[in-house]
């Protein structure tokens, strides 16, 4: 893969860039602008894309840094999950899912990740959701691989604590959770 | 402690050797804290990908799909003729862009969706910024330009939106390739049928950087980019519109200043940031033909001659 292939690859990468942008920005208008801007930046820098580099992580890196720049420009980096478009945090019932509880758990997983501190949330999105390796995530975020791992372990401790509690109070949580079909 | 939790995560995820696992299991046996941490990490082994796959996300907007496809096409076209338009940015391979974005992302939400894509419905920018354009919507085949609003000069909005994305860095490093520019101008004049010349605006402090053949609704749109001594680049955009001449008019399109006029069936839009260059004065000089030509005058190229 070299930069000259980027134009032909971008359209097929688009759905994943779109969902990543939606998830990090939490706003569909921001996400659309973010992806456009990132694609433009990517194309302008296509010649810097080294053979052997994953185009997807390279584009994730540009989406992410574009978003960080944007947040800096807006001087409001402490976006909390309460500002999110609630509709985006819901999951739809999967016909393959066996039980309503499974849907409820999916909802809870998405919500739990959404409530992590920003740096941990992005690492979880890259590694657990997008399936990047630790080193790819480190390249995307421009941090050492050790930082990725420690953020990930902290994120997972938080989520583990949450779900440990859930396991103890299964019935209660299942009743309290949002109806995923609504 | 931090390294411990990373190590324990690797243990839980089954990434350690049997020997390392034994070490950790010994530790778990004697340390309730470690045991608790391992329990938390085990509880965090969840079907994340599956859960997020079920997340109800809005689909990729058509406008985005089209914009990216258009960008990719434009880029592929450009790179088939390497040289003049190749931005010489020197950054490390994986270094993310560091230039801060000066304005909100949302400055040009549909720029490419409107631009360069045939058949896309125009967005709601009214005639207020371009009186005269399209004032006789039924008089010309170019009325097809405005799918949603017959009076809409969509290409000016598109070009202004496009220009909004240009920063100084976008073109500062672009070397001017005289040969390729002359060739592009020749193609504009002979293939696109637009009698466009590249004015020399150096007296106004503007350095010519590049000319691009773009398309708006399948019609040629010429973009000539100049770099002033300070501030963002300025573009002179030209499209063929078989309508009566108009004198210059200044308008604001989003964050850009746009000065338009029409002469000899060519519509011009001079686009720049509000601060800096006096665009109306410059537009007057161009429209009065009070400038020299860099490229496009019967093969005479001042740059090529230098």
């Amino acid at each position: 893969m070299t930069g000259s292939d980027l134009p032909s690859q971008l359209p097929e990468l688009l759905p994943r860039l779109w969902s990543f942008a939606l998830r990090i920005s939490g706003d569909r208008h921001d996400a659309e602008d973010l992806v456009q801007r990132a694609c433009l930046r990517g194309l302008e820098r296509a010649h810097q894309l080294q053979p052997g580099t994953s185009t997807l992580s390279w584009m994730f890196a540009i989406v992410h840094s574009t978003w960080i720049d944007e947040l800096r420009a807006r001087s409001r980096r402490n976006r909390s999950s309460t500002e999110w478009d609630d509709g985006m945090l819901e999951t739809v019932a999967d016909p393959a899912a066996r039980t309503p509880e499974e849907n409820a758990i999916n909802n809870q997983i998405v919500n739990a990740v959404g409530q992590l501190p920003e740096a941990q949330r992005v690492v979880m999105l890259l590694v657990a959701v997008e399936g990047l390796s630790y080193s790819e995530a480190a390249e995307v975020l421009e941090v050492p691989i050790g930082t990725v791992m420690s953020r990930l372990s902290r994120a997972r401790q938080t989520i583990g604590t949450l779900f440990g509690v859930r396991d103890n109070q299964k019935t209660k949580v299942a009743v309290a959770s949002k109806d995923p079909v609504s | 402690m931090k390294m411990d939790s990373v190590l324990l995560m690797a243990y839980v995820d089954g990434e350690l050797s049997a020997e390392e696992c034994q070490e950790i299991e010994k530790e778990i046996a004697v340390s309730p804290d470690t045991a608790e941490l391992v329990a938390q990490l085990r509880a965090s082994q969840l079907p994340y990908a599956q859960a997020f796959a079920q997340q109800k996300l809005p689909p990729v907007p058509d406008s985005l799909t089209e914009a990216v496809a258009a960008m990719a096409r434009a880029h592929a076209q450009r790179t088939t003729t390497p040289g003049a338009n190749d931005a010489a940015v020197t950054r490390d391979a994986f270094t993310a862009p560091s230039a801060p974005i000066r304005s909100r992302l949302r400055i040009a939400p549909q720029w490419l969706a409107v631009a360069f894509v045939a058949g896309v419905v125009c967005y709601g920018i009214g005639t207020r910024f371009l009186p005269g354009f399209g004032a006789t919507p039924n008089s010309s085949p170019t009325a097809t330009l405005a799918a949603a609003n017959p009076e809409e000069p969509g290409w000016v909005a598109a070009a202004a939106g496009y220009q909004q994305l240009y920063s100084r860095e976008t073109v500062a490093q672009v070397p001017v390739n005289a040969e390729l520019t002359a060739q592009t101008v020749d193609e504009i004049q002979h293939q696109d049928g637009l009698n466009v010349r590249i004015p020399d605006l150096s007296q106004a402090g503007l350095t010519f950087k590049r000319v691009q053949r773009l398309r708006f609704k399948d019609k040629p749109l010429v973009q000539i980019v100049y770099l002033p001594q300070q501030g963002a680049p300025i573009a002179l955009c030209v499209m063929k519109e078989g309508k009566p001449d108009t004198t210059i008019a200044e308008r604001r399109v989003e964050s850009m200043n746009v000065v338009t006029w029409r002469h000899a069936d060519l519509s011009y839009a001079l686009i720049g940031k509000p601060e800096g260059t006096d665009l109306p004065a410059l537009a007057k000089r161009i429209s009065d033909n009070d400038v020299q030509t860099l490229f496009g005058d019967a093969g005479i190229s001042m740059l090529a001659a230098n």
Side-chain angles (χ1 to χ4, degrees):
Chain A
M1 168 68 211
T2 62
S4 57
D5 301 327
L6 187 63
S8 60
Q9 292 216 340
L10 271 186
E12 67 194 70
L13 294 179
L14 193 57
R16 293 188 70 181
L17 298 178
W18 167 246
S19 48
F20 182 61
L22 268 176
R23 284 167 180 151
I24 62 170
S25 70
D27 179 284
R28 71 189 70 189
H29 300 293
D30 282 345
E32 181 165 358
D33 302 334
L34 185 53
V35 172
Q36 278 197 21
R37 198 166 269 248
C39 288
L40 191 67
R41 279 183 170 188
L43 288 168
E44 280 170 2
R45 296 175 170 81
H47 59 284
Q48 298 171 354
L49 185 51
Q50 301 288 316
T53 305
S54 148
T55 315
L56 183 67
S57 7
W58 192 75
M59 281 307 301
F60 277 161
I62 297 178
V63 170
H64 182 253
S65 66
T66 304
W67 178 241
I68 294 299
D69 288 348
E70 172 64 12
L71 287 185
R72 283 197 187 113
R74 290 183 195 179
S75 306
R76 55 179 181 94
R77 307 209 49 192
N78 53 341
R79 288 173 68 86
S80 68
S81 54
T82 53
E83 286 178 282
W84 277 55
D85 179 353
D86 277 346
M88 270 184 45
L89 292 174
E90 288 170 27
T91 55
V92 284
D94 177 2
R98 280 186 299 272
T99 62
E101 197 195 24
E102 214 166 277
N103 286 325
I105 291 173
N106 284 336
N107 256 331
Q108 287 169 354
I109 293 172
V110 170
N111 283 329
V113 173
Q115 282 164 17
L116 291 168
E118 187 59 19
Q120 294 177 27
R121 186 173 75 86
V122 175
V123 172
M124 282 299 286
L125 288 177
L126 291 172
V127 175
V129 180
E130 297 294 345
L132 266 59
S133 68
Y134 295 166
S135 64
E136 284 173 333
E139 280 180 325
V140 168
L141 301 171
E142 293 183 280
V143 297
I145 190 168
T147 306
V148 165
M149 293 193 287
S150 68
R151 285 179 188 171
L152 205 56
S153 73
R154 271 179 283 140
R156 285 183 52 183
Q157 281 172 57
T158 307
I159 293 172
T161 309
L162 222 60
F163 277 77
V165 170
R166 179 192 61 82
D167 281 343
N168 296 336
Q169 305 179 347
K170 230 170 201 172
T171 325
K172 191 176 164 189
V173 173
V175 171
S177 69
K178 257 188 204 171
D179 179 356
V181 196
S182 65
Chain B
M1 211 49 189
K2 189 194 273 184
M3 270 319 291
D4 278 351
S5 69
V6 168
L7 190 68
L8 292 177
M9 181 171 72
Y11 165 72
V12 165
D13 292 345
E15 289 163 0
L16 298 184
S17 67
E19 200 179 322
E20 288 167 313
C21 286
Q22 278 179 357
E23 287 293 312
I24 286 172
E25 278 151 17
K26 274 187 220 163
E27 176 75 13
I28 293 170
V30 295
S31 161
D33 284 351
T34 305
E36 192 189 335
L37 201 47
V38 167
Q40 285 171 357
L41 290 168
R42 278 201 204 288
S44 77
Q45 287 181 309
L46 295 163
Y48 297 100
Q50 179 199 305
F52 276 82
Q54 279 185 50
Q55 200 180 14
K56 192 170 64 187
L57 293 180
V60 181
D62 290 345
S63 54
L64 181 62
T65 306
E66 283 157 4
V68 170
M71 260 190 260
R73 270 199 308 275
H75 182 85
Q77 222 165 25
R78 255 206 277 162
T79 47
T80 53
T81 51
N85 293 327
D86 217 5
V89 187
T90 49
R91 280 207 181 90
D92 291 340
F94 219 95
T95 302
S98 59
I101 297 175
R102 293 191 192 86
S103 50
R104 284 179 51 80
L105 275 172
R106 208 173 289 177
I107 53 168
Q110 295 109 359
W111 66 275
L112 262 174
V114 182
F116 327 130
V117 179
V120 175
V121 174
C122 288
Y123 289 81
I125 299 170
T127 49
R128 58 198 156 78
F129 72 90
L130 261 187
F133 272 43
T136 51
N138 301 320
S139 65
S140 147
T142 54
T144 54
L145 248 180
N149 176 348
E151 299 191 345
E152 184 159 325
W155 76 271
V156 174
Y162 186 33
Q163 193 62 24
Q164 270 185 137
L165 296 176
Y166 273 61
S167 72
R168 203 173 163 78
E169 294 75 28
T170 315
V171 293
Q173 312 261 4
V174 174
V176 178
N177 181 330
E179 199 182 328
L180 184 60
T181 304
Q183 186 193 324
T184 305
V185 171
D186 186 68
E187 287 164 1
I188 290 167
Q189 294 183 341
H190 297 103
Q191 292 177 24
D192 298 337
L194 268 61
N195 187 19
V196 171
R197 289 155 195 191
I198 297 189
D200 179 5
L201 306 180
S202 56
Q203 283 199 338
L206 301 186
T207 309
F208 166 73
K209 294 308 283 186
R210 72 178 172 207
V211 57
Q212 294 197 98
R213 294 165 74 198
L214 306 172
R215 291 189 87 76
F216 179 81
K217 292 190 180 294
D218 250 4
K219 293 192 175 125
L221 192 170
V222 178
Q223 182 216 37
I224 307 166
V225 179
Y226 295 88
L227 195 63
Q229 277 151 354
Q230 289 179 334
I234 287 172
L236 176 63
C237 294
V238 192
M239 263 200 101
K240 188 174 233 171
E241 281 192 303
K243 294 179 189 173
D245 289 2
T246 59
T247 54
I248 63 169
E250 187 180 8
R251 290 291 178 276
R252 189 74 177 261
V253 179
E254 296 199 48
S255 72
M256 306 302 280
N257 247 22
V258 179
V259 180
T260 56
W261 69 96
R262 195 182 305 116
H263 177 71
D265 289 346
L266 290 180
S267 292
Y268 295 83
L270 189 64
I271 304 164
K273 289 262 154 72
E275 63 277 2
T277 310
D278 183 351
L279 292 183
L282 189 59
K284 185 150 189 354
R285 289 183 57 185
I286 301 170
S287 65
D288 289 351
N289 218 4
D290 186 20
V291 286
Q292 291 193 289
T293 301
L294 279 177
F295 292 91
D297 257 358
I300 299 167
S301 159
M302 288 176 57
L303 275 187
N306 285 341

